[in-house]
Amino acid sequence: MAGSPMELSLITEVILKAMAKSLNLEDNCFLEQMGERSTMFARFNLYPPCPRPDLVLGLKPHADGSAITFVLQDKEVEGLRFLKGNQWIRVPVIPQALLINIGDQAEIMSNGIFKSPVHRVVTNSERERISVAVFSSPDSDKEIEPIGRLVNDSRPRPYKKVKNYVDTYFQYNQQGKRPIDAVRY
Ligand SMILES: O=C(O)CCC(=O)C(=O)O
Ligand SMILES: [Fe+2]
């Protein structure tokens, strides 16, 4: 499995460079905001079987606080859903695949061009499900902000400069609010 911290930090670099390229920006512009000491933390999720999936979620709706997130899903049991419009879209099981998700900090750096999608996990009445999520975030001492070239009259800048967004994220999440709203003008 691709998944050692070294490999994931290399993949983070490749993805952030490709994202910058796709917007005709300097390859390293997102990476520079990540700083020298960008961080990665892993969350291991275990969703036990639940007799009432209609009543109980495995993980409540949220968007990730990272720049990007890697998710290694269960090899057999699906459960992840992304919100598109007002519909929850099912993510299929693809054994060994790493799902890469955009987090709030990539939304901020890209001035909202890349969206950090809301997602949730449903429970399964018969089977347990496991997943591993690795959150790749900027150095907590580094200030991030929308890249200057992405700010213009038709896309004014909705986000303030922010440092240590992960802290804000957890405070807001705790209160049941969408953390990215804390850094909007
Ligand atoms: O269990 C999953 O597939 C996704 C987990 C997730 O969204 C998270 O840990 O933030
Ligand atoms: Fe998530």
Side-chain angles (χ1 to χ4, degrees), residues 49-176:
C50 170
R52 294 296 304 269
D54 54 325
L55 297 180
V56 180
L57 285 171
L59 202 55
K60 68 177 187 180
H62 67 281
D64 294 341
S66 56
I68 56 175
T69 308
F70 300 96
V71 184
L72 183 66
Q73 295 196 87
D74 195 282
K75 286 204 270 297
E76 293 176 359
V77 184
E78 55 98 4
L80 181 57
R81 307 275 189 272
F82 278 90
L83 188 61
K84 188 169 183 217
N86 53 11
Q87 271 200 316
W88 290 103
I89 310 290
R90 194 177 66 86
V91 178
V93 168
I94 308 175
Q96 312 300 333
L98 272 185
L99 180 136
I100 299 178
N101 186 32
I102 303 281
D104 288 352
Q105 299 198 70
E107 177 165 334
I108 295 167
M109 293 189 282
S110 69
N111 203 26
I113 293 177
F114 292 115
K115 298 268 185 275
S116 166
V118 172
H119 51 288
R120 70 181 190 184
V121 177
V122 297
T123 45
N124 185 294
S125 57
E126 267 121 50
R127 304 194 56 188
E128 156 181 303
R129 177 174 183 274
I130 55 171
S131 70
V132 185
V134 177
F135 303 91
S136 183
S137 297
D139 183 336
S140 57
D141 288 333
K142 193 103 173 116
E143 224 164 24
I144 65 156
E145 63 179 324
I147 302 282
R149 279 193 45 207
L150 299 177
V151 179
N152 52 45
D153 289 345
S154 63
R155 192 175 274 281
R157 164 191 166 134
Y159 310 106
K160 301 173 197 160
K161 277 190 182 174
V162 56
K163 201 154 85 170
N164 202 358
Y165 178 75
V166 173
D167 250 20
T168 313
Y169 180 86
F170 283 117
Q171 280 172 30
Y172 260 62
N173 221 20
Q174 218 55 279
Q175 299 165 19

